[in-house]
């Protein structure tokens, strides 16, 4: 130690009491940084995490109180339009049925989908929260190998994106509006079922061995059903018929 002190003094550096205080302060700051990024990761996800699907409904992939790190949740989405070239998927955190009533975490856009009829091209998504509390999302077109990724740091870290008070309030809002949200989900399910039924009828009419007059009659009826479907969707406040396809 004496040799070290001599070299320091020879270089014009003299250790003082303030140096000790500064060193101690720096060590404390480093300790706080370490705790913020590692030791304060939640044991379980504080709120649910999911993506927006048709009619702004939140589809939960990682439920609240899932142990961190989570398992990877994998699902696929098919294109909703002929020759669709890109696909966007927005992720939210919260306990409400409507995606827009929760906290937006980020949006992953997948581009470069090869031209194909509606529903043919499929993109595989994987979602997880890792041991550092980061949300990781990947999207891959397995027919081409093309892949896009998104990471949202701090989703599972205490106080990083939301304070403890904000987390508690969002959980309370989910409980407070549970009946309202259940009613919304019922409307969405009813509209989805009606739309699928109308599409099946139209496809069957087009594929069947009908006379032109009968086929046109089916088409007129089904087209009217789809128009009424759109009107009802607007009346119920359900937007985005092609916004997201799951």
């Amino acid at each position: 130690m004496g040799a070290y002190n001599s070299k320091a003094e020879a270089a014009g550096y003299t250790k003082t009491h303030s140096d000790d205080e500064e060193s101690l302060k720096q060590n404390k700051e480093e300790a706080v940084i370490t705790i913020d990024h590692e030791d304060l990761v939640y044991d379980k996800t504080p709120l649910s995490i999911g993506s927006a699907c048709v009619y702004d409904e939140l589809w939960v992939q990682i439920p609240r109180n899932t142990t961190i790190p989570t398992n990877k949740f994998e699902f696929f989405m098919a294109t909703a339009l002929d020759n669709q070239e890109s696909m966007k998927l927005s992720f939210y955190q919260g306990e409400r049925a409507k995606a827009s009533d929760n906290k937006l975490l980020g949006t992953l856009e997948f581009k470069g989908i090869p031209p194909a009829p509606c529903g043919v091209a499929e993109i595989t998504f994987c979602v997880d929260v890792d041991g550092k509390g980061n949300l990781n999302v990947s999207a891959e077109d397995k027919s081409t190998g093309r892949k896009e990724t998104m990471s949202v740091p701090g989703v599972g870290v205490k106080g990083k994106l939301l304070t403890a008070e904000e987390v508690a309030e969002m959980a309370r809002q989910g409980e407070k509006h549970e009946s309202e949200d259940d009613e919304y989900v019922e409307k969405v399910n009813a509209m989805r079922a009606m739309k699928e039924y109308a599409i099946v009828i139209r496809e069957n009419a087009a594929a069947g061995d009908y006379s032109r007059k009968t086929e046109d009659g089916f088409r007129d009826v089904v087209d009217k059903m789809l128009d009424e479907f759109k009107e009802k969707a607007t009346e119920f406040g359900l937007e985005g018929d092609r916004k997201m396809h799951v």
Side-chain angles (χ1 to χ4, degrees), residues 29-42 132 154 156-160:
E29 290 176 347
E30 290 176 352
V32 169
I33 291 173
T34 300
I35 290 174
D36 284 344
H37 287 78
E38 296 180 3
D39 295 346
L40 293 185
V41 173
Y42 286 100
K132 294 183 178 180
V157 177
K158 296 180 181 179
K160 184 72 174 179

Side-chain angles (χ1 to χ4, degrees), residues 10 12 17 19 22 24 44 53 74-75 82 99 123 136 152 168 181 183 188 199 203 210 222 225-226 234-235 241 245:
H17 181 64
D19 293 327
E22 186 64 26
L24 181 60
K44 299 180 178 180
C53 56
E74 182 174 305
F75 60 98
D82 290 339
I123 308 301
N136 302 300
V152 182
D181 286 350
E183 182 180 351
V188 169
I199 290 175
E203 290 176 347
Y210 304 107
V222 174
M225 288 178 63
L226 289 174
T234 302
E235 178 184 337
D241 181 30
H245 180 79

Side-chain angles (χ1 to χ4, degrees), residues 129-191:
V129 176
D130 62 29
K132 294 183 178 180
N134 302 322
L135 172 67
N136 302 300
V137 182
S138 66
E140 182 180 5
D141 183 346
K142 292 190 175 180
S143 68
T144 64
R146 180 176 174 78
K147 189 173 184 179
E148 298 285 350
T149 62
M150 177 184 76
S151 181
V152 182
V155 170
V157 177
K158 296 180 181 179
K160 184 72 174 179
L161 296 183
L162 294 169
T163 65
E165 292 75 16
E166 288 172 326
V167 169
E169 177 59 24
M170 291 178 73
R172 280 195 294 269
Q173 288 298 316
E175 295 174 356
K176 178 180 178 181
H177 297 281
E178 184 175 4
S179 296
E180 174 187 335
D181 286 350
D182 287 345
E183 182 180 351
Y184 177 78
V185 172
E186 287 180 5
K187 289 179 179 179
V188 169
N189 290 337
M191 295 304 295

